[in-house]
């Protein structure tokens, strides 16, 4: 209760679904909330996602969770979201893909759906202090900054077009896994063991089963708690940089909006780096910026706002005002500017330092970027251009099989594409034009980038059009245009194209009870558990 009160994450009247995998952590969370629900004044239910990754073992997990829900008279929100291990093992520079990432995306998509449909107001997951320590260590090993050290966030707000419609909360972040298992033993409550959690082929499992025990033995169990405390400090620092420095917040927003020299409606969040909007507790820093720094930041804001429009696939940032900032602010601004204008890049510490070195150097120098494109030092600015540096580079084609329903990672897009069976009424009205007829879509489609000669006929158009022309009308250029995804079904041709209404011949009937929704989900760095 003390932890829940401190987080203010669960309130009276909440309709809270507990994400239960069947493992000890999530079963303990459910049992704890069952004991506290009268005091908290909440309505509980259970959510479970079966990814079909472990065959009969996964089905046994689902039956265990269903029985647990029945024993306590709780509603069960169950979902089958298969993940193909072979399809989910690709890699892309700066982005980690895999089975766990694909499954995580599907789980969080289901949680968003539950909240979006109004079936629950919040979802609780069973991340523990051990999970937090694992995440902090993994990010240290892979390379990270303050944002990465913030680890697993205690609260996530689900948003759609600026409207909050639900939350995900993690009440157990202050609890050790061993304490939760002891809690269950004292109550005689069994749990399921996931055999994949013992597979040390997964890096996280090596940290969990090899590294954390050594840290506990050699440096004391308090070391694990200190990593959790470090994550809390980092989260507060990140929020302070955005909301605690009003001169920086608008500046970063301005950089985020200046995509390709044009303003866009959606701002990119710099606090958490998560595609879901992470809301964390605010904490004031005792090291405010001085007046000179505030003046420099205001000048840099003007630099971003007044930078002349560049051709498409290019963006600029005036170097003088940038270099007048304190070093920490320089790094923050460059990171925000690059993330806003080249989302596919992994904005590592090294890349940011190289960009700043370029800004300090003479005009004419270039820095080639991973995956194509370059940074160039102009007379007065840094120019970010996304086309390959030599003008001859080609973006590789891609092609992946997608089970229907199911999901597949597309490393080239830095995203997951899923095909989900949905209730059409629960889909946002603007997206219903992309719903496919359940009876007409085969059990598998191919997700690929469009090719020369491809034609697509969006609903309400007189005839099929060249995909090339459709994208040109949308002003898509460069790598974005080349990698634009489509779905091809055997003997049916293209049945889906990102951002376009599906062909009338495959569109879900207006009174359909169920439909297929194919959509692209951008990656985010959230560790999922339970």
């Amino acid at each position: 209760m003390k932890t829940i009160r401190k987080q203010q994450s669960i309130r009276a009247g909440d309709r809270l679904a507990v994400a239960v995998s069947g493992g000890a952590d999530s079963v303990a969370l459910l049992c704890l909330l069952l004991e506290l629900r009268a005091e908290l004044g909440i309505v509980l239910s259970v959510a479970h996602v079966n990814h079909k990754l472990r065959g009969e073992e996964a089905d046994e997990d689902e039956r265990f969770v269903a029985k647990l829900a029945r024993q306590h008279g709780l509603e069960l929100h169950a979902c089958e979201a298969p993940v193909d291990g072979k399809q989910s093992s690709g890699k892309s520079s700066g982005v980690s893909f895999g089975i766990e990432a694909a499954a995580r995306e599907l789980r969080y998509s289901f949680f968003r759906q539950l909240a979006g449909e109004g079936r629950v107001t919040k979802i609780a997951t069973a991340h523990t202090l051990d999970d937090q320590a694992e995440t902090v260590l993994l990010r240290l090993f892979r390379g990270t900054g303050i944002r990465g050290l913030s680890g697993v966030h205690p609260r996530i707000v689900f948003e759609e077009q600026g409207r909050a419609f639900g939350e995900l909360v993690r009440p157990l972040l202050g609890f050790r896994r061993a304490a939760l298992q002891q809690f269950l033993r004292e109550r005689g409550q069994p749990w399921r063991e996931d055999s994949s959690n013992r597979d040390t082929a997964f890096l996280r499992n090596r940290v969990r089963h090899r590294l954390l025990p050594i840290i506990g033995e050699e440096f004391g169990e308090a070391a694990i708690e200190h990593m959790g405390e470090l994550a809390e400090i980092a989260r507060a620092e990140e929020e302070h940089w955005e909301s605690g420095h009003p001169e920086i917040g608008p500046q970063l927003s301005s950089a985020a909006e200046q995509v390709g020299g044009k303003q866009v409606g959606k701002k990119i969040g710099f606090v958490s780096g998560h595609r879901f909007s992470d809301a964390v507790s605010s904490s004031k820093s005792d090291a405010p910026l001085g007046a000179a720094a505030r003046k420099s930041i205001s000048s840099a804001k003007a630099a971003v706002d007044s930078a002349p429009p560049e051709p498409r696939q290019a963006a600029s940032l005036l170097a003088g005002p940038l270099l007048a900032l304190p070093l920490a602010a320089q790094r923050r601004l460059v990171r925000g500017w690059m993330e806003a204008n080249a989302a596919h890049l992994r904005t590592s510490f090294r890349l940011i330092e190289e960009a700043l070195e370029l800004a300090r150097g003479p005009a004419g120098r270039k820095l080639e970027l991973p995956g194509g494109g370059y940074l160039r030092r102009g007379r007065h600015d840094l120019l970010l251009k996304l086309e390959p540096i030599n003008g001859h580079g080609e973006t590789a084609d891609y092609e992946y099989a997608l089970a229907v329903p199911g999901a597949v990672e597309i490393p080239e897009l830095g995203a997951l594409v899923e095909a989900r069976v949905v209730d059409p009424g629960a889909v946002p009205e603007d997206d219903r034009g992309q719903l496919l007829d359940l009876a007409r879509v085969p059990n598998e489609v191919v997700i690929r980038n469009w090719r020369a000669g491809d034609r697509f006929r969006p609903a309400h158009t007189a005839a099929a059009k060249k995909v090339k022309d459709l994208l040109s009308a949308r002003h898509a250029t460069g790598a974005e245009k080349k990698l634009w995804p489509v779905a091809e079904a055997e003997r049916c041709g293209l049945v889906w194209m990102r951002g376009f209404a599906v062909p009338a011949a495959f569109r879900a009937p207006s009174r359909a009870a169920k439909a297929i929704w194919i959509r692209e989900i951008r990656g985010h760095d959230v560790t999922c558990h339970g």
Side-chain angles (χ1 to χ4, degrees):
M1 278 297 294
K2 181 180 178 181
T3 301
I4 292 172
R5 288 195 184 101
K6 178 184 176 183
Q7 294 178 352
Q8 297 184 329
S9 57
I10 300 175
R11 300 175 183 272
D14 283 343
R15 287 175 287 114
L16 181 70
V18 184
V20 182
S21 66
D25 298 349
S26 59
V27 172
L29 174 60
L30 178 62
C31 292
L32 276 168
L33 290 174
L34 281 166
E35 294 183 8
L36 296 172
R37 62 175 166 175
E39 183 178 354
L40 291 171
I42 57 177
V43 178
L44 284 180
S45 59
V46 175
H48 179 80
V49 180
N50 186 347
H51 296 299
K52 300 291 185 179
L53 281 169
R54 293 174 288 113
E56 180 59 25
E57 183 181 338
D59 293 338
E60 282 291 337
D61 290 347
E62 183 174 357
R63 287 191 283 270
F64 173 85
V65 173
K67 181 180 178 182
L68 195 60
R70 284 196 304 272
Q71 285 176 347
H72 296 284
L74 301 179
E75 181 181 4
L76 175 65
H77 310 286
C79 170
E80 288 190 1
V83 178
D84 188 326
K86 293 181 180 179
Q87 295 171 359
S88 305
S89 58
K91 293 181 180 178
S92 178
S93 175
V95 185
S96 175
F97 293 98
I99 297 171
E100 290 181 327
R104 180 181 65 225
E105 292 286 357
L106 288 170
R107 282 196 299 278
Y108 278 66
S109 176
F110 178 56
F111 299 157
R112 285 177 64 93
Q113 181 181 333
L114 289 177
E117 293 174 355
R119 296 158 71 183
V120 301
T121 56
K122 292 179 180 176
I123 297 94
T125 64
H127 292 76
T128 66
L129 182 56
D130 296 75
D131 293 309
Q132 186 71 284
E134 292 162 13
T135 300
V136 170
L137 287 171
L138 284 168
R139 291 183 181 175
L140 277 172
F141 298 155
R142 291 167 175 162
T144 191
I146 299 299
R147 181 170 63 183
L149 290 178
S150 66
V152 181
H153 287 230
R155 179 170 171 253
I156 293 175
V157 177
F158 293 137
E159 292 184 339
E160 186 88 38
Q161 297 177 342
R163 178 185 66 87
F165 61 87
E167 295 180 20
L168 185 145
V169 296
R170 291 152 173 160
L172 299 183
L173 275 179
F175 293 83
R176 295 297 304 273
R177 184 172 293 124
L180 296 175
Q181 292 176 352
Q182 182 60 31
F183 169 81
L184 293 177
R185 291 190 191 99
E186 290 172 356
R187 285 155 179 76
Q189 173 61 57
W191 66 84
R192 297 279 299 169
E193 291 286 354
D194 182 343
S195 60
S196 66
N197 285 339
R198 297 189 295 271
D199 185 356
T200 53
F202 293 102
L203 181 57
R204 178 174 289 272
N205 286 344
R206 296 201 294 276
V207 171
R208 176 175 300 175
H209 298 299
R210 296 178 183 174
L211 185 55
L212 284 187
I214 292 174
I215 291 174
E217 291 170 8
E218 297 293 332
F219 303 99
E221 293 298 323
I224 309 300
E225 297 176 11
H226 295 161
M227 283 184 268
E229 292 165 357
L230 174 62
E232 285 197 37
I233 293 169
R235 280 196 302 277
E237 289 293 319
E238 274 296 297
E239 183 173 78
H240 182 62
W241 270 96
E242 175 153 303
S243 60
H245 291 286
E247 301 90 349
I248 292 179
Q251 179 184 351
L252 289 179
S253 295
S254 184
E257 291 172 350
Q258 192 187 29
V259 178
K262 54 185 179 182
Q263 298 290 317
V264 295
K266 182 177 180 181
K267 295 183 180 181
I268 296 176
F270 294 102
V271 173
S272 68
H274 300 162
R275 295 302 177 188
F276 302 125
S277 176
D278 277 23
V280 296
S281 301
S282 176
S283 177
K284 294 284 185 181
S285 167
D286 59 359
L289 286 182
R294 288 195 295 271
K295 183 176 180 181
S296 296
I297 290 165
S298 298
S299 299
K301 180 186 185 305
V304 175
D305 290 341
S306 63
E310 296 290 335
R312 283 193 180 89
Q313 298 300 309
S316 64
L317 183 66
L318 290 179
L322 166 68
L323 297 176
L325 293 171
L327 180 58
Q330 291 178 22
R331 289 169 174 161
R332 296 255 171 180
L333 179 55
V334 168
R335 185 189 75 187
W337 175 67
M338 294 182 71
E339 286 180 346
N341 292 284
H344 68 284
L345 286 178
R346 180 177 182 269
T347 49
S348 65
F349 175 78
R350 179 176 297 178
L351 180 58
I352 292 170
E353 290 301 290
E354 289 176 341
L356 287 173
E357 184 179 353
L358 192 68
R360 298 182 191 109
R365 291 180 57 193
K366 285 183 179 180
L367 171 65
E368 190 169 358
L369 298 173
Y374 62 87
L375 278 175
R376 180 172 62 81
R377 179 60 157 96
R379 289 183 61 194
H380 305 291
D381 58 5
L382 281 179
L383 176 68
L384 170 65
K385 197 165 180 62
L386 300 186
E387 277 83 13
I389 193 166
N390 59 11
H392 301 293
E394 291 294 331
T395 306
D397 290 334
Y398 63 85
E399 189 170 301
Y400 298 89
L402 169 64
V404 180
V408 61
E409 289 283 353
I410 311 294
E412 291 81 0
L413 296 176
L416 176 142
V417 174
E418 73 163 354
R420 179 182 288 280
V421 178
V422 296
D423 173 1
V427 175
E429 189 172 350
D430 291 346
D431 294 320
R432 291 176 191 171
Q434 293 206 331
L435 296 182
L436 292 156
D437 188 344
L438 186 63
R440 301 213 56 188
V441 179
N443 294 330
E444 184 177 279
V445 297
V446 172
I447 301 295
R448 61 174 175 83
N449 61 315
W450 69 280
R451 314 286 162 77
D454 278 344
R455 303 180 76 87
F456 186 74
R457 184 179 179 181
H460 309 304
T461 57
K465 298 182 179 180
K466 291 182 178 179
V467 170
K468 177 182 178 181
D469 294 338
L470 290 170
L471 294 177
S472 294
R474 291 279 182 98
H475 306 294
T477 60
E480 179 192 26
K481 181 176 182 180
K482 173 68 175 175
L483 296 174
W484 201 282
V486 298
E488 182 179 25
E490 189 175 1
R491 296 188 296 275
C492 298
L494 300 187
V495 298
W496 173 85
M497 182 175 171
R498 182 181 68 192
F500 291 84
V502 300
F506 296 95
R507 193 170 187 174
S510 59
R511 298 180 181 273
K514 297 291 182 182
I516 296 292
W517 188 14
I518 298 178
R519 60 175 180 157
E520 179 184 3
I521 303 173
R522 289 285 171 179
H524 55 88
D525 189 12
V526 178
T527 303
C528 189
H529 176 69

